[in-house]
Amino acid sequence: GENVEQHPSTLSVQEGDSAVIKCTYSDSASNYFPWYKQELGKGPQLIIDIRSNVGEKKDQRIAVTLNKTAKHFSLHITETQPEDSAVYFCAASRNNNDMRFGAGTRLTVKP
Amino acid sequence: GAGVSQSPRYKVAKRGQDVALRCDPISGHVSLFWYQQALGQGPEFLTYFQNEAQLDKSGLPSDRFFAERPEGSVSTLKIQRTQQEDSAVYLCASSLARGEEQYFGPGTRLTVT
């Protein structure tokens, strides 16, 4: 089955700096790669996703890149703000079913 | 509109007790998923419903875990004879249809003492 690895487990940046979180996956049949933000006491919330027919996607300060050959994808957050502080999860799945999550990255943005 | 709701938000059970966790999906959402999230980990898939049919229960860790969605709306996850290793946050998610975006509820934090 699918195995997703996520790095780093913790990340601390200064407000205004960029943050990058990286994930690798094992199942070459996976074709859907969402990123979730989870705040304390809440469920994960989808922030951006990418499908395997696209190499990059951007939404304001957030971007995701996908390298299918190497089986890795990354989340980039630019101009970070304190409210970006949360735990971020990557996931991989076939058609958004049977989703497998990474272990999470705790991002802290220091004002 | 209302999102996915779960109850109770917190549950403390003595080892050996049975518990029932409820999920109210977004109205009209056909697909419903249950996940288990251990402390400091990502959610792990437990089971999936399409309407009232349980199409995938490959993630249920043991036969002590049972889920149902009898009318294709509200779902209940039941854990019998709880063990300490069952302590986790149980997340429910729903989507409009299979393959569409999953919306997560806030979870139920289960602590087994």
Side-chain angles (χ1 to χ4, degrees):
Chain A
E2 177 65 273
N3 182 47
V4 177
E5 304 222 347
Q6 182 171 347
H7 302 279
S9 56
T10 61
L11 180 58
S12 182
V13 300
Q14 207 66 39
E15 182 177 0
D17 287 350
S18 294
V20 180
I21 303 171
K22 299 183 179 182
C23 288
T24 61
Y25 62 98
S26 61
D27 185 355
S28 57
S30 289
N31 59 5
Y32 178 67
F33 307 91
W35 286 89
Y36 290 86
K37 176 182 182 182
Q38 188 173 26
E39 296 174 312
L40 197 61
K42 298 184 179 179
Q45 181 181 13
L46 181 71
I47 56 171
I48 195 167
D49 57 11
I50 191 167
R51 297 188 185 272
S52 59
N53 58 347
V54 175
E56 184 174 355
K57 184 176 178 180
K58 190 172 181 180
D59 182 4
Q60 300 183 337
R61 297 185 296 108
I62 297 173
V64 58
T65 59
L66 171 65
N67 183 327
K68 282 177 56 181
T69 304
K71 296 204 204 65
H72 66 68
F73 55 114
S74 301
L75 177 71
H76 304 250
I77 306 174
T78 58
E79 300 169 30
T80 52
Q81 302 165 4
E83 51 265 37
D84 294 330
S85 296
V87 179
Y88 291 81
F89 292 97
C90 63
S93 71
R94 301 184 191 188
N95 303 316
N96 203 7
N97 298 311
D98 198 19
M99 200 142 55
R100 296 291 185 253
F101 287 79
T105 296
R106 181 175 298 279
L107 174 64
T108 303
V109 180
K110 294 180 284 187
Chain B
V4 177
S5 61
Q6 294 185 243
S7 61
R9 291 295 314 278
Y10 304 91
K11 176 70 179 177
V12 179
K14 285 189 165 55
R15 191 173 57 181
Q17 283 184 332
D18 298 348
V19 298
L21 313 180
R22 177 186 168 111
C23 173
D24 284 79
I26 294 173
S27 178
H29 277 199
V30 166
S31 298
L32 187 145
F33 304 80
W34 282 99
Y35 295 86
Q36 181 189 60
Q37 186 174 24
L39 190 64
Q41 298 296 314
E44 288 196 6
F45 170 80
L46 292 177
T47 187
Y48 161 68
F49 288 87
Q50 185 165 304
N51 294 307
E52 68 280 1
Q54 189 174 20
L55 299 187
D56 187 347
K57 52 182 181 179
S58 62
L60 296 176
S62 78
D63 58 8
R64 295 186 296 104
F65 286 70
F66 172 75
E68 60 183 5
R69 194 187 185 197
E71 297 178 0
S73 178
V74 171
S75 177
T76 303
L77 176 67
K78 298 180 179 178
I79 309 173
Q80 297 177 323
R81 303 181 303 282
T82 51
Q83 304 294 316
Q84 281 193 313
E85 60 262 28
D86 300 335
S87 295
V89 173
Y90 290 85
L91 294 164
C92 174
S94 71
S95 65
L96 193 58
R98 190 165 192 176
E100 298 293 321
E101 177 182 348
Q102 295 184 30
Y103 294 83
F104 283 82
T108 295
R109 180 177 295 278
L110 173 66
T111 303
V112 182
T113 61

